[in-house]
Amino acid sequence: MNGICPTTNGWVRRAAEAYGRGRPLALLFDYDGTLTPIVRHPSLARLPPGTRDRLRRLAALPDVGVGVISGRALSEVRTMVGLDGIYYSGSGGLEVDLLGNEKRYPETDAIGRLLDEIQDQLLDLLKQFPGTWLERKPGAIAIHFRGLLPLAATCFRYEAVSLLSVVEELRYRVVSEAIEVTPADGWDKGTAVVSILAHLENAIGSPPLPLYFGDAANDVEGMAVALHNGGFAVGVGPDAPRIATEQLAGPAELAGRLNELTAGLVASRGFPAEQSEAAWLPQADSKPAPGGQEYAAPPRTNAGMLLLDSDPAVREELAGAMSEFGWQVWQADTPERATELLDRHGDRVQVALVDLQLPGLQGVRTLTAISQNHPDLLRCFLSAEVSPYMATAIHRLSSLPLFVKPLRAADLNTSLRKMLLKSPHAEKQSMHV
């Protein structure tokens, strides 16, 4: 992990202690790879609802500023996050939104003309490497190559860097299977952090303690500013910059730490019970279950789930959301990994959720094997949108419950717990392959 030793995440405790002593906080996050997992295409990197709610709860605390600082265009990252009352920065720091006061790098138009000149050469190169694409942003370009196999990606990077390295006015960096091209002497994520800290200090009256969370090379400047101001640089994922002084495994672990941070901040200032984290949790699980019947959920503990889905974004979002309802989730991307996890943790798993649309009927075959080797498990299918015809075919194939993605975690939690209460051991459900 770039030589970074995982810590015990003492930054949560130290930040809460500083907040308890009256120090304001600035919580600043990269988007892709930090708040969301890296996925096949940037358009698929949706912010998990649970993570959005964590940011909202933190931003609602007095003397706490929350910001998202992304390589995406400002308008795009603002839409993806969808929260008012927080700071935004886009295009790698070239655009900044200070709670409604927008600023842009002064030389954006001049840099844009330079990018116009080099873009044609880059597009000619992209034609030689199917699976690559170019994303244009104000004053910047991102050249994506995550669709290439490793050898082709190496060749592509070499050719692209050869084109870019002769243009002194531009800087290029490899970030999350993309090459980010920005002004060599322009604004970056570090200047965005400086602007946000100054705005927050002016609003509150004292300098905030910054915590910067990032996963890639273009987060170095933001982390450096946070450390220079006595704050924390928290690396997320295996490719986090070496400058990071704290380390998290990925977005899912960050989500859990933000829960701890929220609870710690509330406790450190002795807020009344009605302002506790429990009061801020989404209220969806207290609404009537489908069909209008009230449902009293059993205790939110000792619930284990195996989730088999090939899409990492789906796994991360669902695992994070279900953890808020007391589930411990083991994630698998292949049937082999699911079998391995069940062999190791089967005594702690009550539910198996398996994607029906795994290729080659692997989902059906996996649940068949589970029913034979772990007959006491509650077994369920997952699937994307299902037509009435397909739903009928599925029910002919199997009597197992089917949940359609995208899933609403509160409804899924309610349904699964009702099934578990109905039968302490999963019913012997028939399946025919």
Side-chain angles (χ1 to χ4, degrees), residues 173-195:
R173 288 191 284 200
V174 177
V175 179
S176 301
E177 297 185 272
I179 300 174
E180 181 185 83
V181 185
T182 57
D185 298 318
W187 293 359
D188 52 34
K189 291 188 177 183
T191 55
V193 173
V194 169
S195 296

Side-chain angles (χ1 to χ4, degrees), residues 205-388:
S206 58
L209 178 71
L211 289 81
Y212 187 99
F213 303 82
D215 76 305
N218 62 350
D219 294 304
V220 167
E221 289 81 10
M223 289 182 170
V225 173
L227 294 173
H228 179 74
N229 286 271
F232 302 94
V234 184
V236 180
D239 298 321
R242 293 180 181 272
I243 192 176
T245 55
E246 319 287 332
Q247 179 70 31
L248 301 175
E253 184 179 2
L254 172 60
R257 297 301 175 188
L258 293 183
N259 286 341
E260 296 177 14
L261 180 62
T262 304
L265 298 184
V266 169
S268 71
R269 290 204 177 181
F271 290 140
E274 60 268 20
Q275 289 184 262
S276 69
E277 181 185 7
W280 295 335
L281 286 172
Q283 298 303 305
D285 54 334
S286 64
K287 293 180 180 179
Q293 299 298 316
E294 289 285 350
Y295 169 61
R300 296 157 56 104
T301 58
N302 300 324
M305 173 189 300
L306 172 70
L307 172 61
L308 171 56
D309 195 299
S310 60
D311 189 328
V314 171
R315 294 198 311 271
E316 292 285 353
E317 179 172 346
L318 186 58
M322 294 304 287
S323 68
E324 293 191 352
F325 292 99
W327 293 87
Q328 183 173 3
V329 183
W330 284 272
Q331 301 180 45
D333 57 352
T334 65
E336 293 76 18
R337 177 60 176 161
T339 300
E340 176 188 342
L341 289 172
L342 277 178
D343 289 343
R344 292 168 55 191
H345 306 289
D347 59 332
R348 300 161 64 189
V349 176
Q350 289 83 48
V351 176
L353 292 176
V354 175
D355 185 8
L356 176 64
Q357 296 179 324
L358 290 173
L361 287 178
Q362 289 185 80
V364 175
R365 293 189 175 114
T366 299
L367 280 185
T368 300
I370 290 174
S371 68
Q372 295 170 350
N373 299 323
H374 303 273
D376 290 338
L377 279 183
L378 174 64
R379 303 174 304 282
C380 308
F381 279 128
L382 301 175
S383 179
E385 292 184 4
V386 177
S387 67

